Amino acid sequence: MNNRIPTSLGKPLLSTRFIGLVQKLKFLNKSILKWGGIMRIKSVEAKLYQVPLNGTYTIALGSMTQVEAVIIRIRTESGLTGLGEAMPFPPVTGADAEATLAFVRDLAPALQNYDASELGGIHTIMDKRSAGYSAAKAGVDIALYDILSRRARLPLYRFLGGSNPQVQTDITITIGSTEVMAARAKSFVEQGFRILKIKAGLDPGEDLAHLRAIREAVGPDVELRIDANQGWDEKTTLWALEKMTGLGIVEVEQPLPCWNLEGMRFVRERITQPLMLDESVHSPVDALKAVKTGAGDIINIKLMKCGGIYKAQKINAIAEAAGLSCMVGCMTETRIAITAGAHLAAALPNIKLADLDGFMEIKDEGCARGGFTRNGDILSLGSEPGLGVNVDFDAL
Ligand SMILES: [Mg+2]
């Protein structure tokens, strides 16, 4: 009989099949763990990363030529990896990079054996350790969302509920001489940027001269936002905006000190432009206070201020329910955190503006690649699962 398996050949064949079956089951088990099952955190690593800037970055809160980030890598037992970035800016976020690094390294053992999907529990652990360290919390949070969306095999913006991968960003003109600011503004417009955010708040007379020169340089069609970074008081704000009449200022961001919500309401009732809150709103609680006070029309959400995407969504929900819109802003972040911000902006319809230009201030764009491509002022997110950002973490 031709279809009869000879006994001498049958046993080895069966053994081979059995081994093959066991191997397949092992692979299947690993795949189930990786893509459908638990995502138990195996390790949380953090490294300090020195980030040189293209030049001197000056705003009303200070000048800098270099910043320091903490790059975070979280790995799960099933083999998934998430990348995060903490970019502290001490005048706003409190802790510096050294303290941020220490916070994450101290936190790491407490996160082991948590599931990466337990965002609420992990944020509770972080908040119980300290009310501050928002940048450190953001870095951990971004890495967790990278893991969750990778597991879901979706780009993060789609994991968060979005459908359009494109985000329009403004570009920031930092404080300098009138000639330099006007030249930079013109250059950015020539590169395709249609919205300029002009930094102000050191000297109101000079701010006025800067705005006039920039408008002259870029023509009438470019939108101008102004950000005084808490540098003015109520009278100065009203004086400056009166003098800037006709210059086409479309939004005014945080003219007064962060604590002065009553003053922001006073100004808001007397100007025609929407008033944006930045340093006044770090947390969902701050957002609620601002809403109750009537202190602004727009909230600038920054992942480094609020502690990441989990809290950012809460701030946006409070704003949306109260009839305020949101912007996603940034620090001088690498492509890791900028990409996370862009995914957030792409995902939530109430986030109507984006200020995601920080990576352009960084020399050679720093350690991270990918995430999005930029065409003029449009950031187009990729189709890879997760953030879609690549970093050679071991080489940092
Ligand atoms: Mg601002």
Side-chain angles (χ1 to χ4, degrees):
M1 296 284 196
N2 287 340
N3 62 352
R4 188 175 161 217
I5 299 166
T7 309
S8 59
L9 293 174
K11 281 187 180 174
L13 272 175
L14 279 174
S15 299
T16 307
R17 283 176 186 163
F18 180 70
I19 290 165
L21 185 65
V22 168
Q23 283 172 341
K24 277 180 187 169
L25 282 171
K26 274 186 179 173
F27 174 76
L28 200 61
N29 187 36
K30 203 173 174 185
S31 295
I32 288 168
L33 274 173
K34 188 170 183 177
W35 298 114
I38 58 170
M39 294 172 289
R40 200 157 46 226
I41 293 171
K42 181 180 166 191
S43 63
V44 179
E45 301 162 276
K47 289 185 177 178
L48 203 61
Y49 176 61
Q50 307 282 340
V51 188
L53 302 180
N54 283 323
T56 304
Y57 188 94
T58 300
I59 61 174
L61 294 168
S63 291
M64 50 202 176
T65 54
Q66 178 174 293
V67 291
E68 285 181 306
V70 174
I71 310 297
I72 295 167
R73 178 170 69 181
I74 298 181
R75 293 199 273 196
T76 68
E77 288 188 354
S78 54
L80 285 164
T81 300
L83 282 171
E85 172 186 353
M87 178 60 86
F89 179 48
V92 176
T93 64
D96 65 8
E98 295 277 355
T100 298
L101 179 70
F103 181 89
V104 177
R105 286 185 172 168
D106 189 50
L107 172 75
L111 297 190
Q112 277 180 349
N113 297 323
Y114 263 83
D115 192 279
S117 66
E118 294 178 86
L119 291 161
I122 291 170
H123 271 280
T124 301
I125 287 178
M126 294 196 290
D127 290 344
K128 278 186 176 174
R129 286 184 170 237
S130 173
Y133 293 97
S134 56
K137 293 170 184 175
V140 171
D141 171 281
I142 291 167
L144 293 174
Y145 274 98
D146 192 17
I147 289 171
L148 297 181
S149 46
R150 278 176 192 242
R151 191 196 66 158
R153 299 194 194 192
L154 291 171
L156 179 54
Y157 75 93
R158 287 198 54 210
F159 179 78
L160 295 172
S163 55
N164 179 359
Q166 295 195 324
V167 176
Q168 184 185 21
T169 181
D170 65 19
I171 186 88
T172 300
I173 310 294
T174 55
I175 299 172
S177 71
T178 305
E179 295 73 27
V180 168
M181 288 178 76
R184 289 193 78 210
K186 192 162 186 253
S187 165
F188 283 129
V189 170
E190 285 166 358
Q191 292 174 50
F193 288 92
R194 291 164 285 177
I195 309 168
L196 303 177
K197 172 159 150 173
I198 316 301
K199 290 291 190 181
L202 282 181
D203 181 301
E206 287 185 10
D207 292 337
L208 182 59
H210 297 161
L211 262 292
R212 284 178 175 154
I214 288 168
R215 176 54 80 197
E216 172 122 13
V218 301
D221 298 329
V222 176
E223 284 192 14
L224 299 183
R225 296 174 187 160
I226 189 162
D227 183 2
N229 284 109
Q230 314 177 64
W232 292 340
D233 59 19
E234 290 90 328
K235 281 188 178 175
T236 307
T237 305
L238 296 179
W239 176 87
L241 290 174
E242 167 74 26
K243 293 284 183 188
M244 290 173 189
T245 303
L247 292 178
I249 310 297
V250 293
E251 275 118 22
V252 182
E253 182 174 339
Q254 196 71 51
L256 308 185
C258 58
W259 48 265
N260 194 357
L261 291 179
E262 294 289 347
M264 291 286 277
R265 182 178 65 181
F266 177 86
V267 167
R268 183 179 171 229
E269 288 169 347
R270 287 162 179 78
I271 64 174
T272 54
Q273 296 93 342
L275 191 60
M276 191 183 304
L277 298 152
D278 180 1
E279 290 92 331
S280 288
V281 177
H282 287 233
S283 65
V285 172
D286 293 340
L288 188 59
K289 280 183 195 166
V291 163
K292 283 184 174 174
T293 311
D297 303 283
I298 306 168
I299 294 176
N300 183 352
I301 298 173
K302 291 178 181 166
L303 297 177
M304 298 303 140
K305 279 190 304 177
C306 69
I309 293 165
Y310 184 77
K311 297 280 180 74
Q313 291 177 97
K314 292 177 188 284
I315 293 173
N316 179 63
I318 291 166
E320 189 168 19
L324 280 67
S325 62
C326 291
M327 175 163 94
V328 173
C330 63
M331 307 300 182
T332 45
E333 298 157 9
T334 78
R335 274 182 179 250
I336 304 172
I338 292 288
T339 302
H343 278 288
L344 179 70
L348 303 180
N350 192 53
I351 296 175
K352 300 189 189 303
L353 306 170
D355 172 32
L356 291 168
D357 57 352
F359 69 102
M360 291 183 65
E361 299 287 346
I362 295 172
K363 201 170 183 183
D364 303 324
E365 289 196 21
C367 62
R369 293 290 176 267
F372 58 85
T373 53
R374 182 178 72 82
N375 183 10
D377 60 3
I378 300 295
L379 308 181
S380 297
L381 293 159
S383 56
E384 306 94 330
L387 286 175
V389 172
N390 303 304
V391 174
D392 187 353
F393 186 85
D394 295 318
L396 290 175

